[in-house]
Amino acid sequence: MRAHLSETIFLCGFILICSSKTAGQTCRGKCGDVLEGCSCHATCASLQNCCADYNQSCFQVTPHSSSMLGGRALRILSLVLHPGGHLFCRFKGEIEQEGFIDSEGHGYCISPLLYETGWIPFTVSTDGIHFDRSGEYLSVHPSKADPAFEVTLVNARQWLNYGTPNMEGRLTMTWNSSLIGAEKVNIELWGYREFKGSTEAEVNGSSSLQAELSYLYTLGRNLSNTGAFGFIPEPSKDFSDWELGNIRITASSKSDGARDVQGLWSGGHVLAWHLEQAFRDDSAAWARNKCLQWDVLEKKLPNFLDELIDCPCTLAQARADTGRFHTDYSCDIERGSVCTYHPGSVHCVRAIQASPMHGSGQQCCYDRTGALVLTGDSTGGSTPDRAHDWGSPPYREPPRVPGYSHWLYDVMSFYYCCLWSDHCSIYLNLRPSSGCRNYQPPRAGVVLGDPHFMTFDGLSFTFNGKGEFYLVYSPDRELSVQARTEQVKLKNGTLAKATWLSSVAMKEKASDFIEVRLAEGHLQVLRNQKVLPFTEQRWMDLHGVFVFAPSLQNVTVVFLSGVAMEVRVHEGAMAVTVLLPTEFTNHTQGLLGLMNSDPSDDLLTQLGKIISPADATPEEIFAFGAGWNISKKSSLFTYDSKYLLDTYYFPPSHDHTFVPAFSQPERPDDLLVADTLTICVGEGAKFCKYDTLTTQSLTMGNATLRAYQNHLALIKALEPVVSCGWLLTPRNGMKNGTDYLERNTLSFTCNKGFILYGSTERTCLVDGTWTGKQPYCITDDYVGFSLGAVGSLSALVTMGVMIHLHNKKQDREKKEDQMVTQEQTC
């Protein structure tokens, strides 16, 4: 009894001590920190050790994203305020505004107008002095924002070409009236431009250009909020030099042009409908002058073409190289290949990364045969961009502003030269396709099934260790990709003697930490140990990394170097593909081997010893894999549950007590054997058999086989091809064919009345050179004149030579006579 009483007193004392430690501890101004007695870190909710005011101090918002144009009300969750009080919001420590509190005490901040994308931190205050409660929201490219919150321009083609021949009449827009929250609305026009900044900014190293989205004028005031509005536009006298902009709709209670108030925006568009009367009088002449002015200005700007990466040579390569190229939604084969700006193409991609110096973008388009379409052959060819459509860090400075800089530098000029006038040759001359002669596809390694590995050099093996290991480690490139494996649980609840992937974590240089893990059969993404929500967005621009999640079964992570991780779920099992650019050759270690095109040295241990794959036993391969376990200090994983702490954080990174089944004998009494032999055929059959019999699941074995075959298809798509480069079509002739890859032959003919000189056929050789010589088409008259001219020239040359020889002979004879005379005198 006394012992029990002593234990009770001790426990009470311990609780009092802990309580005294946590008492008074606050998360205000400390979000992300782990305090002595409690936590203000994002993991505290699942670990159940949050400080008492965590949810009020480190708040979440809904919705969690907004267009970078702003105007969306962000409700602060878990924060209840007095309805009559005040709320002040400060974004990025510099943009301040007053929020509002509804009748139920919910606080709201209005997302501000920004010129950047990514997660935007902000703080709030109730007294306007202490901004010690913090949250963040995702600012997204206007074209990637939730379309439900956008003002729709009905018949966009009419809006974009208003004033050109046969483009007139009434313009109409629609919107979701419930999102304004007012009975009366104002409809405004805002214009975008980039202008020269102050000399002081230039001296301080900032860009001399500044971005500006400004209120121009109101189209309609105090209108009924019906969700639709139409008008017949008049040419603008005072604002016609603003050629790009947006429509904004706000409550009529807001003053004209008020910034950072709740409202809805249209997409950015060329303001053809409000341009000056001269445009409507003769749009082709007006556009021609604009095109010529752009031509002069563009030639004064720095050359950006030389720093762009080359396009993939084939459509298959372009779709497979997900680390460097992403679908251009304006020409997407998955959406019916509606390629308005690239007729003749079926699919285009854009380089994910902007060029390092000028922030420029690459675009690559392909025809139905999978060949790269070049502007030298078609107006629908691939055109690079002086300003990357998606922008580039630091974003806010032109020409790196997402969307808008691209419109100003690349799209407006296309309207001037190609759509509104007949001078597209000027545009294409300054935006020529880059070709693919220097393109080198990435190398791919994969982990799939229970788990099986295919290295970058093509070596296949099985490693069933349990723990956390390096998939790819490159110290000099500062890349780390780590994998976590856990024991496979069978349908009957027992554990198999095999493991599979449950999580992969990665980081490059100073990028955000990204982890993709299995959670109840789907993928969950974490950024810096905090779960990312993909309910509103599929693409996120993060610090030094991009994440694309088209579904809960499919996530792609892309780093600035072009490294990509594709994570897929097949029947509950995770498969991870790592794509590395060729710059990583001889710079990789880990379970996916040394990337150098030599599979014999892929089993390289951390100590530098090479195990011969030809002689290695399953036990030796197991020892090799176990040697690539990570240290606790280098771990990139999140341990936000008791299970993860007990299973992976506290124990060693490799579970030495777990011994897998190194092989699965086909026992006659196993009812699965017959079906296994039927299903598991072809390449990858051994992995399929192993997984089926180990997990006692035909579904699992079949998923492994499909994942393996998908990888083989990826490897095939990424096979290098040789390009000999573009060939010129002879003037007054024709070129038959536009495929410039190895073993392809192009033929040339001349128009009637012309004769072809040079090669009638040229074949691309495997060394990247063309056979034959450049063909030319010459008229019969010109040939006759040329031959006559050549004959006359030859005669003149011959005569000149004869005269020269005759004169030399006379001089020689004269000298000889003089010598004879001298001798006679002597």
Side-chain angles (χ1 to χ4, degrees), residues 163-317:
T164 61
N166 302 318
M167 285 292 172
E168 56 187 5
R170 191 175 184 83
L171 295 178
T172 305
M173 67 185 79
T174 61
W175 65 93
N176 186 338
S177 59
S178 65
L179 298 176
I180 297 293
E183 294 183 359
K184 299 291 183 177
V185 296
N186 292 342
I187 299 177
E188 305 168 339
L189 175 64
W190 288 60
Y192 179 85
R193 67 176 181 174
E194 293 177 0
F195 63 97
K196 284 283 186 180
S198 64
T199 306
E200 180 182 354
E202 203 167 352
V203 171
N204 293 334
S206 300
S207 170
S208 60
L209 286 175
Q210 292 183 14
E212 178 186 9
L213 184 62
S214 293
Y215 166 77
L216 301 183
Y217 55 85
T218 298
L219 293 169
R221 188 175 287 106
N222 205 32
L223 303 172
S224 296
N225 183 17
T226 62
F229 174 70
F231 69 108
I232 296 179
E234 295 291 335
S236 173
K237 296 180 180 179
D238 300 325
F239 300 100
S240 188
D241 55 333
W242 295 81
E243 299 173 3
L244 175 65
N246 304 70
I247 300 289
R248 190 182 77 163
I249 301 178
T250 62
S252 291
S253 57
K254 305 299 181 182
S255 59
D256 290 351
R259 289 187 172 271
D260 303 332
V261 297
Q262 190 171 358
L264 303 178
W265 293 88
S266 74
H269 62 282
V270 55
L271 303 178
W273 53 272
H274 102 139
L275 295 179
E276 59 188 330
Q277 184 64 43
F279 175 73
R280 299 192 183 185
D281 292 340
D282 191 343
S283 59
W286 185 93
R288 173 184 176 275
N289 290 333
K290 285 287 187 177
C291 180
L292 294 175
Q293 292 172 17
W294 172 77
D295 182 47
V296 173
L297 175 62
E298 183 71 15
K299 289 175 179 176
K300 294 179 181 179
L301 298 177
N303 177 32
F304 70 93
L305 298 173
D306 293 341
E307 68 170 350
L308 296 178
I309 63 173
D310 269 23
C311 288
C313 290
T314 67
L315 176 58
Q317 288 178 336

Side-chain angles (χ1 to χ4, degrees), residues 36 121 198 304 428 439 445 471 484 487 565 567 574 605 725 799:
E36 184 179 358
S198 64
F304 70 93
L428 297 180
Y439 173 74
L471 276 185
R484 174 187 291 158
Q487 204 167 347
M565 258 63 63
V567 187
M574 179 187 289
T605 69
M799 185 180 295

